[in-house]
């Protein structure tokens, strides 16, 4: 039994790894083609490659569920094509036992995915975005597409560049009255957090105040900024919710709730990350059910095609339900759980029919 378990584990592990590497290579080529038209000035070919490489952990995280699905189809499909699965079943090993063996190498990829999401991606994505923003120049016309917006009370902030060490570049602040009238706008060249005093120190500040009498402008070489927005929270704001760690998402949801702001987008990202292992496990069930059921005697190409189509459908359902929960106001937890439950239910149903 140990030899059999090792054999199936090896077959599935290397199939998933091969699919993941192939998808990452295709994604790398796609990203290079997408970034070529941005080359110019300080954004050289080397900076472009560094941006793509820093974003590599995010690509691994995003494609892992589909690599597991197609990899399991290929690994188990190869065993089925050579009638090895028939021999295993004839030896008295149940389908449930085989799935348990398949889940062992999959757990390694799940642990890798969780580790990347918690410890690597939040930092790597911020480094990638800040390097590219500085290379492209944060004063260009398309800065609003690359920067970060944040709200605190009646103030709205825009950060052109937020570095992982807490340094800010191209920081704009807009203050509104209770009736929604703009009262002050300011631009800060750079800012850094003073740990000893717990405040931000802004440099090269230009302030414009608006009143019924007109406008008044002031400039400061340096100014203090008192706010609840710490470097830790700012690092959370600086990246997309999907790339944050679960601990950062939970903390930021609490911060937004304390400010009376909308939290559903970050709640959705939190549940997606927390339930990612269940999503991968449900796709393993689907792969096993296809191999033992309707795809038992088809070619490898048909299995791969089916896996890709099903993966796209699963992703599409996730993409539709997630934003729908934000728009229509139902629980993000339901939006995340429903595709997983449907996938797992279909897998169990097909396995029972095949068994």
């Amino acid at each position: 039994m140990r030899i059999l378990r090792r054999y199936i584990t090896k077959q599935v592990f290397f199939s998933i790894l091969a699919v993941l590497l192939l998808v990452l290579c295709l994604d790398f080529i796609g990203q290079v083609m997408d970034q070529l038209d941005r080359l110019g000035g300080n954004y050289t070919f080397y900076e472009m490659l560094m941006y793509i490489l820093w974003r590599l952990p995010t690509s691994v995280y995003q494609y892992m569920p589909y690599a597991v699905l197609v990899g399991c189809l290929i690994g188990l499909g190869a065993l089925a094509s050579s009638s090895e699965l028939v021999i295993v079943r004839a030896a008295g090993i149940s389908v449930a036992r085989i799935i348990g063996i398949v889940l062992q190498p999959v757990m390694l990829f799940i642990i890798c995915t969780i580790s990347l999401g918690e410890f690597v991606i939040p930092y790597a994505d911020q480094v990638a975005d800040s390097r590219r923003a500085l290379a492209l120049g944060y004063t260009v016309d398309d800065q609003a597409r690359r920067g970060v917006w944040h709200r605190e009370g009646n103030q709205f902030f825009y950060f052109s560049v937020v570095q992982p060490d807490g340094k800010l570049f191209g920081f704009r602040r807009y203050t509104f009255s209770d009736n929604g009238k703009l009262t002050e706008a300011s631009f800060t060249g750079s800012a850094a957090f003073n740990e000893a005093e717990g405040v931000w120190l802004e440099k090269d500040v230009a302030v414009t105040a608006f009143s019924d009498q007109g406008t008044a402008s002031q400039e400061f070489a340096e100014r203090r900024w008192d706010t609840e927005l710490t470097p830790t929270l700012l690092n959370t704001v600086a990246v997309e919710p999907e790339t944050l760690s679960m601990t950062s998402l939970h903390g930021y949801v609490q911060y937004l709730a304390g400010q009376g702001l909308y939290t559903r987008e970050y709640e959705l990202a939190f549940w997606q990350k927390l339930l990612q292992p269940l999503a991968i496990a449900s796709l393993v069930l689907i792969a096993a059910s296809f191999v033992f059921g309707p795809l038992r005697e088809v070619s490898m190409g048909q299995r791969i095609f089916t896996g890709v189509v099903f993966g796209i459908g699963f992703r599409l359902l996730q993409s539709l339900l997630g934003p729908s929960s934000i728009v229509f106001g139902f629980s993000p937890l339901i939006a995340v759980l429903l595709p997983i439950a449907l996938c797992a239910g279909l897998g169990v149903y097909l396995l029972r029919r095949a068994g």
Side-chain angles (χ1 to χ4, degrees), residues 61-352:
Y61 188 92
Q62 291 175 342
Y63 292 121
M64 185 67 78
Y66 317 109
V68 168
L69 171 63
V70 178
C72 286
L73 279 173
I74 293 175
L76 289 175
L79 296 176
S81 299
S82 59
S83 300
E84 290 173 286
L85 280 184
V86 176
I87 297 172
V88 171
R89 293 291 307 280
I93 299 176
S94 65
V95 173
R97 188 72 178 273
I98 296 173
I99 295 175
I101 295 173
V102 172
L103 283 173
Q104 292 178 11
V106 171
M107 282 301 300
L108 296 176
F109 290 100
I110 290 176
I111 293 171
C112 174
T113 301
I114 294 174
S115 300
L116 287 175
E118 287 299 296
F119 306 111
V120 179
I121 291 175
Y123 178 82
D125 263 35
Q126 193 173 353
V127 171
D129 290 339
S130 62
R131 281 186 65 131
R132 188 178 68 158
L134 287 172
L136 288 172
Y138 55 82
T139 59
V140 295
D141 292 338
D142 67 337
Q143 64 177 347
R145 183 163 53 88
R146 294 186 283 107
V148 179
W149 285 96
H150 179 68
R151 177 189 173 188
E152 188 175 272
N154 289 340
Q155 292 186 322
F156 292 80
F157 310 121
Y158 174 78
F159 308 101
S160 296
V161 179
V162 180
Q163 293 186 326
D165 57 4
K167 291 183 179 178
L168 309 176
F169 296 92
F171 164 38
R172 287 176 169 81
R173 179 166 56 212
Y174 303 94
T175 305
F176 292 84
S177 63
D178 292 335
N179 59 6
K181 185 178 180 180
L182 180 65
T183 59
E184 185 179 278
S186 66
F187 174 81
T188 300
S190 63
F193 190 72
N194 188 316
E195 294 283 353
E197 299 183 26
V199 297
W200 293 86
L201 295 180
E202 301 175 89
K203 294 184 177 181
D204 302 323
V205 184
V207 181
T208 302
F210 300 89
S211 64
D212 295 336
Q213 289 73 37
T215 61
S217 300
Q218 288 181 289
E219 293 186 358
F220 304 90
E222 187 173 286
R223 187 174 70 165
R224 292 164 58 96
W225 175 34
D226 294 297
T227 177
E228 296 182 22
L229 196 61
T230 63
T232 301
L233 286 173
L234 191 56
N235 287 335
T236 302
V237 177
V239 297
E240 295 294 325
E242 294 79 11
T243 62
L244 292 170
S245 67
M246 286 185 285
T247 51
S248 297
L249 284 168
H250 183 266
Y252 193 57
V253 166
Q254 300 301 315
Y255 167 77
L256 290 177
Q259 293 287 327
L261 301 177
Y262 198 66
T263 63
R264 285 193 179 272
E265 183 180 2
Y266 290 89
E267 289 179 25
L268 175 64
F270 173 79
W271 289 117
Q272 286 174 335
K273 281 187 170 289
L274 184 64
L275 299 178
Q276 176 85 314
L278 286 181
I280 295 176
S282 69
L283 291 174
V284 172
L285 277 178
I286 284 292
S289 68
F290 283 175
V291 171
F292 285 107
L295 302 185
R296 181 165 42 196
E297 298 179 358
V298 302
S299 66
M300 187 63 70
Q302 287 176 288
R303 291 193 184 100
I304 294 174
F305 177 77
T306 303
V308 170
V309 170
F310 191 89
I312 292 173
F314 183 78
R315 177 62 177 173
L316 182 62
L317 184 59
Q318 286 183 317
S319 301
L320 289 174
L321 286 176
S324 296
S325 69
I326 297 174
V327 173
F328 297 108
F330 62 90
S331 172
L333 176 59
I334 296 177
V336 177
L337 269 180
L338 187 58
I340 297 174
L342 291 175
C343 186
L346 177 61
V348 171
Y349 171 74
L350 291 176
L351 285 171
R352 284 184 174 178

